[in-house]
Amino acid sequence: MFSDQIFNYTTLAYFIAMVLYISFIATKNKNVGLGGNIAAWIGFGLNTLAIGWRWYESKSLGYGHAPLSNLYESVVFFAWSILLIYLLMDLKYKQRAVGAFVMPFAVLGMAWAQMMPDHSKSIQPLVPALQSNWLTYHVITCFIGYAGFAIACGASIMYLIKVGKEEKSGGANTPAGGILSMFPSARVLDDINYKAIMIGWPMLTLGIVTGAAWANYAWGTYWSWDPKETWSLIVWFIYAAFLHARFTRGWVGRKAAWLSIIGFGATLFCYLGVNLVLSGLHSYGGG
């Protein structure tokens, strides 16, 4: 299918962007960072085109459903969501070094999707449980939430590296040198972590609500403690705890960074671990 070819070009563009972002940190050359941004925007445009084209192909086959119905389609949509949130935040913060820690998530996702067998990439008619517009609302909100958590995780890793190096160098008043000097300040990284979660958590909340509505439509009950539902709730509580601790106890910095990383680990298990390892009502998402 033509959309598969566009996804291949998307993967290449994301890979080039990742290499340029890493090179930007190593070389401290602003033009290299600009090149990374251009490649990221091109990749995002191609990703958008490929998703739209796959939807058109679905209609041409007589199905017509949005390309959000199996693991392959969800992975490429996850990569698209990561770029959406990252590029929007880059417009605000203009910290291109962050791209070196965010783009690998999109590159790994796209590369994995391209290596999936052909039968996993084929467009199939929807199973009865998926024949609802709630599918579109549920998947879009959940994956934009996941993308926010991915950005927060990348910023948190950078924060811990930078602060750890500064502490070894003599304290927070001793700025890290070398390639770490290209990292945003610890305050900015902590703010990116917080703002990304402030995007992700409300979207995950919407995803859980729309998922409950969809479950009632498909299975006649709003909640059945399916492994996916249970893990979604665990992820929701982790990030709710993050926000609660920040608002009431002033959790910032190292504690917030670690909680963000743990939260994204739980998010990945909720998304991939549950689909691939556990069985339940969401087992169709594993193929």
Side-chain angles (χ1 to χ4, degrees), residues 145-165:
Y146 292 174
F149 301 151
I151 307 300
C153 178
S156 295
I157 293 171
M158 295 182 77
Y159 178 92
L160 292 173
I161 294 173
K162 187 177 182 72
V163 170
K165 180 65 176 178

PDB file of all heavy atoms in Angstrom, residues 145-165:
ATOM      1  N   GLY A 145      -2.403  11.651  25.417  1.00  0.00           N
ATOM      2  CA  GLY A 145      -1.960  11.575  26.810  1.00  0.00           C
ATOM      3  C   GLY A 145      -0.641  10.843  26.938  1.00  0.00           C
ATOM      4  O   GLY A 145       0.288  11.308  27.609  1.00  0.00           O
ATOM      5  N   TYR A 146      -0.520   9.684  26.292  1.00  0.00           N
ATOM      6  CA  TYR A 146       0.733   8.923  26.335  1.00  0.00           C
ATOM      7  C   TYR A 146       1.895   9.774  25.787  1.00  0.00           C
ATOM      8  O   TYR A 146       3.018   9.719  26.313  1.00  0.00           O
ATOM      9  CB  TYR A 146       0.634   7.656  25.473  1.00  0.00           C
ATOM     10  CG  TYR A 146      -0.316   6.592  25.962  1.00  0.00           C
ATOM     11  CD1 TYR A 146      -0.579   5.459  25.189  1.00  0.00           C
ATOM     12  CD2 TYR A 146      -0.963   6.691  27.195  1.00  0.00           C
ATOM     13  CE1 TYR A 146      -1.435   4.461  25.631  1.00  0.00           C
ATOM     14  CE2 TYR A 146      -1.832   5.702  27.639  1.00  0.00           C
ATOM     15  CZ  TYR A 146      -2.070   4.591  26.843  1.00  0.00           C
ATOM     16  OH  TYR A 146      -2.926   3.600  27.282  1.00  0.00           O
ATOM     17  N   ALA A 147       1.622  10.526  24.728  1.00  0.00           N
ATOM     18  CA  ALA A 147       2.676  11.341  24.120  1.00  0.00           C
ATOM     19  C   ALA A 147       3.158  12.409  25.103  1.00  0.00           C
ATOM     20  O   ALA A 147       4.360  12.687  25.198  1.00  0.00           O
ATOM     21  CB  ALA A 147       2.149  11.985  22.838  1.00  0.00           C
ATOM     22  N   GLY A 148       2.220  13.024  25.823  1.00  0.00           N
ATOM     23  CA  GLY A 148       2.622  13.994  26.839  1.00  0.00           C
ATOM     24  C   GLY A 148       3.543  13.363  27.875  1.00  0.00           C
ATOM     25  O   GLY A 148       4.544  13.962  28.286  1.00  0.00           O
ATOM     26  N   PHE A 149       3.232  12.137  28.269  1.00  0.00           N
ATOM     27  CA  PHE A 149       4.065  11.440  29.260  1.00  0.00           C
ATOM     28  C   PHE A 149       5.448  11.104  28.671  1.00  0.00           C
ATOM     29  O   PHE A 149       6.444  11.097  29.398  1.00  0.00           O
ATOM     30  CB  PHE A 149       3.365  10.160  29.719  1.00  0.00           C
ATOM     31  CG  PHE A 149       2.008  10.388  30.333  1.00  0.00           C
ATOM     32  CD1 PHE A 149       1.006   9.427  30.255  1.00  0.00           C
ATOM     33  CD2 PHE A 149       1.707  11.585  30.982  1.00  0.00           C
ATOM     34  CE1 PHE A 149      -0.244   9.641  30.816  1.00  0.00           C
ATOM     35  CE2 PHE A 149       0.451  11.806  31.544  1.00  0.00           C
ATOM     36  CZ  PHE A 149      -0.530  10.832  31.455  1.00  0.00           C
ATOM     37  N   ALA A 150       5.508  10.821  27.371  1.00  0.00           N
ATOM     38  CA  ALA A 150       6.799  10.539  26.726  1.00  0.00           C
ATOM     39  C   ALA A 150       7.687  11.784  26.755  1.00  0.00           C
ATOM     40  O   ALA A 150       8.892  11.692  27.048  1.00  0.00           O
ATOM     41  CB  ALA A 150       6.578  10.076  25.285  1.00  0.00           C
ATOM     42  N   ILE A 151       7.109  12.941  26.450  1.00  0.00           N
ATOM     43  CA  ILE A 151       7.884  14.191  26.491  1.00  0.00           C
ATOM     44  C   ILE A 151       8.369  14.445  27.916  1.00  0.00           C
ATOM     45  O   ILE A 151       9.524  14.820  28.147  1.00  0.00           O
ATOM     46  CB  ILE A 151       7.020  15.386  26.023  1.00  0.00           C
ATOM     47  CG1 ILE A 151       6.378  15.100  24.663  1.00  0.00           C
ATOM     48  CG2 ILE A 151       7.862  16.658  25.988  1.00  0.00           C
ATOM     49  CD1 ILE A 151       7.324  14.826  23.553  1.00  0.00           C
ATOM     50  N   ALA A 152       7.483  14.241  28.883  1.00  0.00           N
ATOM     51  CA  ALA A 152       7.844  14.459  30.283  1.00  0.00           C
ATOM     52  C   ALA A 152       8.978  13.526  30.695  1.00  0.00           C
ATOM     53  O   ALA A 152       9.895  13.927  31.418  1.00  0.00           O
ATOM     54  CB  ALA A 152       6.621  14.236  31.170  1.00  0.00           C
ATOM     55  N   CYS A 153       8.936  12.291  30.232  1.00  0.00           N
ATOM     56  CA  CYS A 153       9.980  11.321  30.557  1.00  0.00           C
ATOM     57  C   CYS A 153      11.324  11.766  29.973  1.00  0.00           C
ATOM     58  O   CYS A 153      12.353  11.722  30.663  1.00  0.00           O
ATOM     59  CB  CYS A 153       9.599   9.938  30.026  1.00  0.00           C
ATOM     60  SG  CYS A 153      10.838   8.667  30.331  1.00  0.00           S
ATOM     61  N   GLY A 154      11.325  12.184  28.712  1.00  0.00           N
ATOM     62  CA  GLY A 154      12.567  12.643  28.080  1.00  0.00           C
ATOM     63  C   GLY A 154      13.173  13.820  28.834  1.00  0.00           C
ATOM     64  O   GLY A 154      14.383  13.858  29.088  1.00  0.00           O
ATOM     65  N   ALA A 155      12.329  14.787  29.201  1.00  0.00           N
ATOM     66  CA  ALA A 155      12.813  15.962  29.945  1.00  0.00           C
ATOM     67  C   ALA A 155      13.317  15.551  31.325  1.00  0.00           C
ATOM     68  O   ALA A 155      14.303  16.109  31.829  1.00  0.00           O
ATOM     69  CB  ALA A 155      11.689  16.987  30.074  1.00  0.00           C
ATOM     70  N   SER A 156      12.666  14.570  31.938  1.00  0.00           N
ATOM     71  CA  SER A 156      13.079  14.120  33.272  1.00  0.00           C
ATOM     72  C   SER A 156      14.437  13.428  33.232  1.00  0.00           C
ATOM     73  O   SER A 156      15.264  13.606  34.132  1.00  0.00           O
ATOM     74  CB  SER A 156      12.024  13.157  33.846  1.00  0.00           C
ATOM     75  OG  SER A 156      10.811  13.833  34.063  1.00  0.00           O
ATOM     76  N   ILE A 157      14.668  12.629  32.195  1.00  0.00           N
ATOM     77  CA  ILE A 157      15.980  11.981  32.057  1.00  0.00           C
ATOM     78  C   ILE A 157      17.072  13.043  31.915  1.00  0.00           C
ATOM     79  O   ILE A 157      18.129  12.973  32.548  1.00  0.00           O
ATOM     80  CB  ILE A 157      15.980  11.021  30.845  1.00  0.00           C
ATOM     81  CG1 ILE A 157      15.039   9.843  31.108  1.00  0.00           C
ATOM     82  CG2 ILE A 157      17.384  10.520  30.551  1.00  0.00           C
ATOM     83  CD1 ILE A 157      14.802   8.962  29.895  1.00  0.00           C
ATOM     84  N   MET A 158      16.798  14.043  31.095  1.00  0.00           N
ATOM     85  CA  MET A 158      17.771  15.137  30.931  1.00  0.00           C
ATOM     86  C   MET A 158      18.004  15.848  32.264  1.00  0.00           C
ATOM     87  O   MET A 158      19.136  16.200  32.605  1.00  0.00           O
ATOM     88  CB  MET A 158      17.265  16.144  29.890  1.00  0.00           C
ATOM     89  CG  MET A 158      17.156  15.601  28.492  1.00  0.00           C
ATOM     90  SD  MET A 158      16.606  16.860  27.314  1.00  0.00           S
ATOM     91  CE  MET A 158      18.128  17.792  27.090  1.00  0.00           C
ATOM     92  N   TYR A 159      16.923  16.064  33.004  1.00  0.00           N
ATOM     93  CA  TYR A 159      17.037  16.754  34.295  1.00  0.00           C
ATOM     94  C   TYR A 159      17.959  15.992  35.245  1.00  0.00           C
ATOM     95  O   TYR A 159      18.859  16.580  35.865  1.00  0.00           O
ATOM     96  CB  TYR A 159      15.648  16.916  34.923  1.00  0.00           C
ATOM     97  CG  TYR A 159      15.673  17.573  36.283  1.00  0.00           C
ATOM     98  CD1 TYR A 159      15.538  18.959  36.415  1.00  0.00           C
ATOM     99  CD2 TYR A 159      15.864  16.815  37.436  1.00  0.00           C
ATOM    100  CE1 TYR A 159      15.597  19.559  37.656  1.00  0.00           C
ATOM    101  CE2 TYR A 159      15.919  17.413  38.687  1.00  0.00           C
ATOM    102  CZ  TYR A 159      15.777  18.776  38.791  1.00  0.00           C
ATOM    103  OH  TYR A 159      15.843  19.380  40.027  1.00  0.00           O
ATOM    104  N   LEU A 160      17.731  14.682  35.346  1.00  0.00           N
ATOM    105  CA  LEU A 160      18.528  13.886  36.288  1.00  0.00           C
ATOM    106  C   LEU A 160      20.000  13.849  35.871  1.00  0.00           C
ATOM    107  O   LEU A 160      20.895  13.904  36.729  1.00  0.00           O
ATOM    108  CB  LEU A 160      17.958  12.468  36.367  1.00  0.00           C
ATOM    109  CG  LEU A 160      16.573  12.357  37.022  1.00  0.00           C
ATOM    110  CD1 LEU A 160      16.038  10.939  36.902  1.00  0.00           C
ATOM    111  CD2 LEU A 160      16.634  12.779  38.490  1.00  0.00           C
ATOM    112  N   ILE A 161      20.260  13.767  34.569  1.00  0.00           N
ATOM    113  CA  ILE A 161      21.655  13.779  34.091  1.00  0.00           C
ATOM    114  C   ILE A 161      22.315  15.107  34.431  1.00  0.00           C
ATOM    115  O   ILE A 161      23.427  15.161  34.961  1.00  0.00           O
ATOM    116  CB  ILE A 161      21.700  13.516  32.569  1.00  0.00           C
ATOM    117  CG1 ILE A 161      21.234  12.105  32.258  1.00  0.00           C
ATOM    118  CG2 ILE A 161      23.111  13.737  32.036  1.00  0.00           C
ATOM    119  CD1 ILE A 161      21.085  11.813  30.768  1.00  0.00           C
ATOM    120  N   LYS A 162      21.612  16.187  34.135  1.00  0.00           N
ATOM    121  CA  LYS A 162      22.195  17.512  34.332  1.00  0.00           C
ATOM    122  C   LYS A 162      22.415  17.828  35.814  1.00  0.00           C
ATOM    123  O   LYS A 162      23.499  18.265  36.214  1.00  0.00           O
ATOM    124  CB  LYS A 162      21.272  18.572  33.712  1.00  0.00           C
ATOM    125  CG  LYS A 162      21.869  19.980  33.724  1.00  0.00           C
ATOM    126  CD  LYS A 162      20.946  20.979  33.047  1.00  0.00           C
ATOM    127  CE  LYS A 162      21.558  22.376  33.025  1.00  0.00           C
ATOM    128  NZ  LYS A 162      22.664  22.489  32.082  1.00  0.00           N
ATOM    129  N   VAL A 163      21.399  17.581  36.623  1.00  0.00           N
ATOM    130  CA  VAL A 163      21.517  17.881  38.054  1.00  0.00           C
ATOM    131  C   VAL A 163      22.563  16.985  38.712  1.00  0.00           C
ATOM    132  O   VAL A 163      23.345  17.438  39.554  1.00  0.00           O
ATOM    133  CB  VAL A 163      20.147  17.720  38.737  1.00  0.00           C
ATOM    134  CG1 VAL A 163      20.286  17.780  40.255  1.00  0.00           C
ATOM    135  CG2 VAL A 163      19.200  18.809  38.262  1.00  0.00           C
ATOM    136  N   GLY A 164      22.594  15.714  38.311  1.00  0.00           N
ATOM    137  CA  GLY A 164      23.585  14.803  38.865  1.00  0.00           C
ATOM    138  C   GLY A 164      25.002  15.268  38.578  1.00  0.00           C
ATOM    139  O   GLY A 164      25.883  15.233  39.452  1.00  0.00           O
ATOM    140  N   LYS A 165      25.233  15.730  37.357  1.00  0.00           N
ATOM    141  CA  LYS A 165      26.564  16.213  36.988  1.00  0.00           C
ATOM    142  C   LYS A 165      26.914  17.491  37.735  1.00  0.00           C
ATOM    143  O   LYS A 165      28.065  17.662  38.204  1.00  0.00           O
ATOM    144  CB  LYS A 165      26.601  16.470  35.473  1.00  0.00           C
ATOM    145  CG  LYS A 165      27.930  16.975  34.949  1.00  0.00           C
ATOM    146  CD  LYS A 165      29.035  15.940  35.108  1.00  0.00           C
ATOM    147  CE  LYS A 165      30.342  16.432  34.485  1.00  0.00           C
ATOM    148  NZ  LYS A 165      31.427  15.445  34.680  1.00  0.00           N
TER     149      LYS A 165
END
